[in-house]
Amino acid sequence: MYQLLKKENGARRGRFDTPHGSVETPAFMNVATAGAIKGGVSAQDLHMLKCQVQLCNTYHLHLRPGDRVVGELGGLHRFTGFTGPILTDSGGFQVFSLAQLRTIKEEGVYFSSHIDGAKIFMGPEESIKIQSNLASTIAMAFDECVENPAGYEYAKQSCARTLRWLKRCARQMEIQNSLPDTINKQQMLFGINQGATYDDLRILHMQQIAELDLDGYAIGGLAVGEPTEEMYHCIETVEPYMPTHKIRYLMGVGTPMNIVESVARGIDLFDCVMPSRNARHGHLFTWQGIINLNNQKYQRDPAPIDNDCACEVCRNHSRAYIRHLLKSGEMLGMRLCVMHNLFFYNTLMEKIREALDQGGFEKFRRRLSGIIDRRI
Amino acid sequence: MYQLLKKENGARRGRFDTPHGSVETPAFMNVATAGAIKGGVSAQDLHMLKCQVQLCNTYHLHLRPGDRVVGELGGLHRFTGFTGPILTDSGGFQVFSLAQLRTIKEEGVYFSSHIDGAKIFMGPEESIKIQSNLASTIAMAFDECVENPAGYEYAKQSCARTLRWLKRCARQMEIQNSLPDTINKQQMLFGINQGATYDDLRILHMQQIAELDLDGYAIGGLAVGEPTEEMYHCIETVEPYMPTHKIRYLMGVGTPMNIVESVARGIDLFDCVMPSRNARHGHLFTWQGIINLNNQKYQRDPAPIDNDCACEVCRNHSRAYIRHLLKSGEMLGMRLCVMHNLFFYNTLMEKIREALDQGGFEKFRRRLSGIIDRRI
C-alpha cells in the first residue's frame, strides 16, 4: 500500500494507496473530532484547503451520535461528505485524557462518559467494532497511553499489554472485514509504538509490533509535554526498527518546525489540533512566523494575514476585518482563521513534498528553521 | 433610481439601480449586523446564496470597530468584501432597544454603549456622518422608535420630531456627499414613516416625508410585537401615500408569508434576522413548512433539510449529520443551517419575482398560504 518514491537522507517521499484514494506523503491529517473541523469548516471546504486525509475521533463519535447511527447512515464518508481517506483513532487516548473514573483491566478500560457520566467499557475488540461501524479507511489499534513521566516497570508492563491488545485488534479486524454487513471490508489497521521515554522498551515494542505486518505504524505517547529534543531522540531511536515499506505516523505532532524535523527523521504522516485550535484564538501561521491577530497593531491593517499565502481567506480579507470579527465574537472570524491555518499546514506538506521531489529538502529545512515557529 | 416594471394588483415587480449595482425587487436584505452574517457566513458565501443586498448595523459598527476605522479601510464594501449594494440602518432602532440610560432631546439621543457603558451622543447629523464613513450604498434616516403601544399625543410629537430630524439628515447627507474625502459621494437616503398604530398620524407623516423627494421610503415601527393583521392594516393605510416611483422598504419583516403578504400590499424591500437567528437554533424553512432539526426523529434521517432545495447544504449534507453537529455544539452545524435559511429567503424572493414576471403572483401567494409558515 505504501510506496517509497524517493529519499533525501532520512526524509521519505512516498505514496500511500487506500480504497478511498492515494495520499501523497509526507502528509498532514486535518482533525475533524466529532465529524467536523472545529471552526465551521465542511468537507467541501477541506477539499479546497488541500486536505488529503481527515482524522475523526472514535471516542467522541461513539458517545455522540453513536457509531451505530453513523454506520446506519453509511459510515463516516457518507456522514461527513469527505470522499478522501479518513483515519479514526482508537479512542484510547481520549479514554485516558477525557473520560472519568477509569479502571484499566486486562480485558480493556471501564470509564464514564465525559458528556453524561454513562458507564462504558472499551477494549480492543470494542474499539475495532466501533471503528468498523464508522467505516473509516484506517483504524488505529487500541493501546494504553501511560502518563508522562512513567516508571520503568509500569511502562514495561503497559507495553506488553498494548502488544497483547494489538493482537486482539488484528484478530477482530479480520472478523469485521469478513462480515457481510461491514461497510468498508478493506479497512486497514495501524499499530502504535509505545514505551514512554525508555529506549530499550521503545525498540523492543517496535520490533514486536513490526512482526505483525500491519498496514502502517504509528509512534504514540509523544507530544504530551516532554521537551522537543526528547521527542526527536525517541523518533531517532525507534525509526531504524520501523519497516521501510510501511507508512509511519507520528501521532499528535505538531508545530510546523516539529513536522519538518520529524520528516527529516523519517516520518510520513502527522495530525494535530494545533492549526485549528490556535486559529480560533487568533494565532495564525505565516511564512514569516506566527502572528497574534488580537494585537492592537492590526486594527487598521489592510494587508491579508500573509502576503505570501494563496488561500481564499488571504485573497479576500484583511487582517483588520478578521481581527474585528474575532473581537466581536463573530463566528466568521474563527472560520476564516481556521481555514487559513489548515491551508498553511497542507501547503507546508506540499512544499515539503516538492522539496523532496527536487532533492532540495535539506535546503528547505534550513530556510524555515528559526523562522516559521517564531512569534512575530 | 427605482423603475416599476410590472404590477399585479398591488404587488410590484421593479428594479432599483445603485452605484453598487442593480437590485431586482421585491428583494430581501441579508443582515450582517457587525459586518458579517451571524453563523460564519462570508461575503463570498452571500453571493453564492443569491443575496442581492446586505444590511449592516450602524450602531454596532460605530461602537466596534468604529466607523472611522471602517472608513480608513475604504468603507464597508472593502471592509466586508461584499461588492453589491449595502444598506446601513441609522442606529436609531438599536439606540432605543439595546443602549442603556438613554435621554431623548431635540438635538438627538444621549445613551450608554451596551458593550462598555461609554457615554455616546447620536443625533441626525452624527448618524449620517457615521453612515458616510461606513460608505454604505443607502443610508437610513435617524428616527425615534416609539414603544408599542404608544399614547396618541406622544406618538404625534414623536412624528413631528422624526420629521425635523429627517430634514436635518437630508441636509447633512448633502454636505457629506459634497466633501472631497467622502468615499461614496452618491450615498442615497431613505426616509422612515412612523406614527405608531394611528392611521391619521401614519398618513400625515407619510405625506410630509414624501414631499422631501428622497431615494426611497421605509415603513418603520412595525414587527415589534403587534398582531400581524395590525401590521397589514398599517401597510394598507400608508401605501396609497407612498410615491409610486420610489422603492418601498418594510423594516424588520418577517416570516416568509409576512413577506408574500406585504409584497401583495405594495412593498419592495425587506430585512429580518429571522432566517439566520432561527437557523442557529435549528429551526429551518422548507417549501413544506418549518422543521425543528433538534427533534429526535431526524437522528437517523439521511434526507437533506429540504428535498426541494438546490442550496449547497441540501446538495451535500443530511439532516442526521447537521442535527449531530448542532447537538455537539459544532460551529459547522450553525453555519450550514444559516446558509440554508438565507438561500431559502433569497429563493423565495426570486420565486416572487418570477411569479410577478409571469402574472402568476396571486396563484403563487395562494399556493404558499398556510404551507410555508406552518411547523411540520
Side-chain angles (χ1 to χ4, degrees):
Chain A
M1 310 272 189
Y2 173 80
Q3 288 174 263
L4 178 58
L5 302 175
K6 202 172 177 185
K7 277 196 80 174
E8 183 175 334
N9 301 325
R12 295 148 46 102
R13 170 76 177 90
R15 185 171 299 136
F16 185 59
D17 295 319
T18 83
H20 298 107
S22 295
V23 181
E24 300 293 330
T25 64
F28 178 78
M29 297 190 281
N30 295 207
V31 182
T33 303
I37 307 278
K38 292 200 183 299
V41 176
S42 73
Q44 288 72 45
D45 295 320
L46 274 190
H47 286 297
M48 197 180 61
L49 296 172
K50 303 198 273 192
C51 166
Q52 293 191 85
V53 199
Q54 175 175 276
L55 184 152
C56 294
N57 288 110
T58 291
Y59 171 85
H60 291 83
L61 291 163
H62 175 57
L63 297 190
R64 190 171 49 195
D67 48 287
R68 283 171 194 277
V69 171
V70 175
E72 273 182 45
L73 290 159
L76 276 176
H77 287 87
R78 285 269 290 278
F79 191 59
T80 68
F82 187 77
T83 56
I86 299 176
L87 182 143
T88 42
D89 64 1
S90 67
F93 184 77
Q94 279 73 29
V95 166
F96 290 95
S97 61
L98 288 180
Q100 292 147 356
L101 302 167
R102 59 178 183 275
T103 316
I104 310 166
K105 303 258 178 155
E106 181 60 22
E107 63 266 31
V109 187
Y110 297 86
F111 62 95
S112 298
S113 156
H114 77 288
I115 297 175
D116 60 4
K119 291 191 188 311
I120 299 177
F121 170 73
M122 198 186 285
E125 290 79 9
E126 288 70 23
S127 171
I128 296 300
K129 281 182 196 170
I130 293 167
Q131 293 183 74
S132 181
N133 285 339
L134 295 174
S136 57
T137 313
I138 304 151
M140 295 301 295
F142 188 75
D143 59 341
E144 183 184 350
C145 306
V146 300
E147 293 195 6
N148 178 43
Y152 184 84
E153 272 311 310
Y154 188 86
K156 190 177 170 184
Q157 286 173 29
S158 170
C159 271
R161 178 155 54 205
T162 285
L163 178 63
R164 292 191 296 276
W165 282 2
L166 175 59
K167 289 173 182 170
R168 285 165 56 189
C169 284
R171 271 197 299 276
Q172 190 62 40
M173 178 64 81
E174 235 175 274
I175 296 171
Q176 294 303 130
N177 283 352
S178 68
L179 294 176
D181 289 346
T182 293
I183 299 166
N184 175 18
K185 295 187 179 63
Q186 298 172 280
Q187 193 169 33
M188 298 191 257
L189 178 66
F190 285 9
I192 304 173
N193 172 250
Q194 292 287 357
T197 49
Y198 304 105
D199 291 0
D200 61 330
L201 295 184
R202 283 274 174 191
I203 290 170
L204 176 66
H205 190 250
M206 190 64 238
Q207 288 172 319
Q208 291 168 327
I209 65 175
E211 282 173 22
L212 285 165
D213 193 31
L214 302 169
D215 299 299
Y217 289 94
I219 303 179
L222 295 182
V224 288
E226 77 282 0
T228 306
E229 286 312 317
E230 204 167 281
M231 178 174 83
Y232 294 155
H233 169 78
C234 184
I235 301 169
E236 287 164 11
T237 304
V238 171
E239 190 273 336
Y241 304 92
M242 300 185 93
T244 307
H245 58 296
K246 295 289 169 71
I247 191 166
R248 300 155 169 193
Y249 162 28
L250 180 60
M251 300 180 83
V253 173
T255 69
M257 212 57 214
N258 287 162
I259 289 177
V260 172
E261 287 302 315
S262 302
V263 165
R265 288 163 174 82
I267 302 294
D268 308 307
L269 199 57
F270 301 87
D271 83 284
C272 193
V273 295
M274 183 179 282
S276 48
R277 181 178 290 164
N278 286 14
R280 297 198 302 279
H281 295 103
H283 297 188
L284 299 170
F285 295 99
T286 80
W287 295 102
Q288 290 74 46
I290 299 161
I291 68 170
N292 180 349
L293 206 55
N294 295 298
N295 283 346
Q296 179 68 24
K297 66 176 171 181
Y298 299 120
Q299 194 195 17
R300 291 156 198 255
D301 192 337
I305 295 169
D306 186 352
N307 266 314
D308 297 331
C309 179
C311 82
E312 194 193 292
V313 180
C314 287
R315 278 190 281 112
N316 286 300
H317 302 287
S318 64
R319 289 169 170 178
Y321 179 57
I322 303 171
R323 179 182 184 277
H324 160 66
L325 297 177
L326 292 174
K327 288 283 169 195
S328 304
E330 285 292 336
M331 229 178 258
L332 181 60
M334 289 198 191
R335 173 173 149 86
L336 297 178
C337 289
V338 170
M339 292 210 295
H340 168 82
N341 270 3
L342 290 181
F343 186 90
F344 180 90
Y345 263 65
N346 294 328
T347 302
L348 171 67
M349 304 317 291
E350 196 176 69
K351 284 178 190 277
I352 289 173
R353 293 193 299 272
E354 284 169 8
L356 283 168
D357 284 337
Q358 295 157 15
F361 176 71
E362 279 306 326
K363 198 176 148 195
F364 179 75
R365 177 187 176 190
R366 278 196 304 276
R367 189 154 64 74
L368 295 193
S369 177
I371 305 265
I372 52 169
D373 275 6
R374 72 180 169 182
R375 300 198 165 271
I376 53 171
Chain B
M1 308 273 188
Y2 174 81
Q3 289 174 263
L4 178 59
L5 302 176
K6 202 170 176 185
K7 277 195 79 173
E8 184 175 333
N9 300 327
R12 295 150 43 105
R13 171 75 178 89
R15 184 171 299 135
F16 185 59
D17 295 319
T18 83
H20 298 106
S22 295
V23 181
E24 300 292 330
T25 64
F28 178 77
M29 298 190 281
N30 295 207
V31 182
T33 304
I37 306 279
K38 292 199 183 301
V41 176
S42 73
Q44 287 73 44
D45 295 320
L46 274 190
H47 285 296
M48 197 180 61
L49 296 173
K50 304 197 273 193
C51 166
Q52 294 190 82
V53 199
Q54 176 175 275
L55 183 151
C56 295
N57 288 111
T58 290
Y59 172 85
H60 291 83
L61 291 163
H62 175 57
L63 297 191
R64 190 170 51 194
D67 49 286
R68 283 170 195 277
V69 171
V70 175
E72 272 181 46
L73 289 159
L76 276 176
H77 288 88
R78 285 270 289 280
F79 191 59
T80 68
F82 188 78
T83 55
I86 299 176
L87 180 143
T88 42
D89 64 0
S90 67
F93 185 76
Q94 280 72 29
V95 166
F96 289 95
S97 60
L98 288 181
Q100 292 145 356
L101 302 168
R102 58 177 185 274
T103 317
I104 309 166
K105 303 257 179 156
E106 181 60 22
E107 63 267 31
V109 186
Y110 297 86
F111 62 95
S112 297
S113 156
H114 78 289
I115 297 176
D116 61 4
K119 291 192 188 309
I120 299 175
F121 170 74
M122 199 186 283
E125 290 79 9
E126 288 70 22
S127 171
I128 296 299
K129 280 181 196 170
I130 293 167
Q131 293 183 75
S132 181
N133 285 339
L134 296 174
S136 56
T137 312
I138 303 151
M140 295 302 295
F142 188 76
D143 58 342
E144 183 185 352
C145 306
V146 299
E147 293 192 8
N148 178 42
Y152 184 84
E153 270 312 310
Y154 188 85
K156 188 176 172 184
Q157 284 173 28
S158 170
C159 271
R161 177 154 56 204
T162 285
L163 178 64
R164 292 192 296 275
W165 282 2
L166 175 60
K167 290 175 181 168
R168 284 164 57 188
C169 284
R171 271 196 300 277
Q172 190 62 39
M173 178 63 81
E174 236 174 274
I175 295 170
Q176 293 303 129
N177 283 352
S178 68
L179 293 177
D181 290 345
T182 295
I183 299 166
N184 175 18
K185 296 187 179 63
Q186 298 173 280
Q187 194 169 32
M188 297 191 257
L189 178 65
F190 285 9
I192 304 173
N193 172 250
Q194 293 287 359
T197 50
Y198 304 105
D199 291 359
D200 60 330
L201 295 184
R202 282 275 175 190
I203 290 170
L204 176 66
H205 190 250
M206 189 63 239
Q207 287 172 320
Q208 290 169 328
I209 65 177
E211 281 173 21
L212 285 165
D213 193 32
L214 301 169
D215 298 298
Y217 289 94
I219 303 180
L222 295 182
V224 288
E226 77 283 1
T228 306
E229 287 313 316
E230 203 167 282
M231 178 174 83
Y232 294 155
H233 169 78
C234 183
I235 301 169
E236 287 164 12
T237 304
V238 171
E239 191 273 337
Y241 303 93
M242 301 184 92
T244 307
H245 58 294
K246 294 290 169 71
I247 191 167
R248 299 154 171 194
Y249 163 28
L250 180 60
M251 301 180 83
V253 172
T255 69
M257 212 56 215
N258 287 161
I259 289 176
V260 172
E261 287 302 315
S262 302
V263 165
R265 289 164 174 80
I267 302 294
D268 308 307
L269 198 58
F270 301 88
D271 83 284
C272 194
V273 295
M274 183 178 282
S276 48
R277 181 177 291 165
N278 286 14
R280 296 199 303 279
H281 295 103
H283 297 188
L284 300 170
F285 295 99
T286 81
W287 296 102
Q288 289 74 46
I290 300 161
I291 67 170
N292 180 348
L293 207 55
N294 295 298
N295 284 347
Q296 179 68 23
K297 66 175 172 182
Y298 300 119
Q299 194 194 17
R300 291 156 199 255
D301 191 338
I305 295 169
D306 187 352
N307 267 313
D308 298 330
C309 179
C311 83
E312 194 193 292
V313 181
C314 287
R315 278 189 282 112
N316 287 301
H317 302 287
S318 65
R319 289 169 171 178
Y321 179 57
I322 303 170
R323 179 181 184 278
H324 160 65
L325 297 176
L326 291 175
K327 288 283 169 195
S328 304
E330 285 292 336
M331 228 179 259
L332 181 60
M334 288 198 192
R335 172 173 151 87
L336 296 179
C337 289
V338 170
M339 292 210 293
H340 168 81
N341 269 3
L342 290 181
F343 186 90
F344 180 91
Y345 262 66
N346 293 328
T347 302
L348 171 68
M349 304 316 293
E350 196 176 68
K351 284 178 190 276
I352 289 173
R353 293 193 298 272
E354 283 169 8
L356 283 167
D357 283 337
Q358 294 157 14
F361 176 71
E362 279 306 324
K363 201 176 146 196
F364 179 76
R365 177 185 176 190
R366 276 195 306 275
R367 189 155 66 75
L368 296 193
S369 177
I371 305 264
I372 52 170
D373 275 6
R374 71 180 171 182
R375 300 198 164 271
I376 53 171

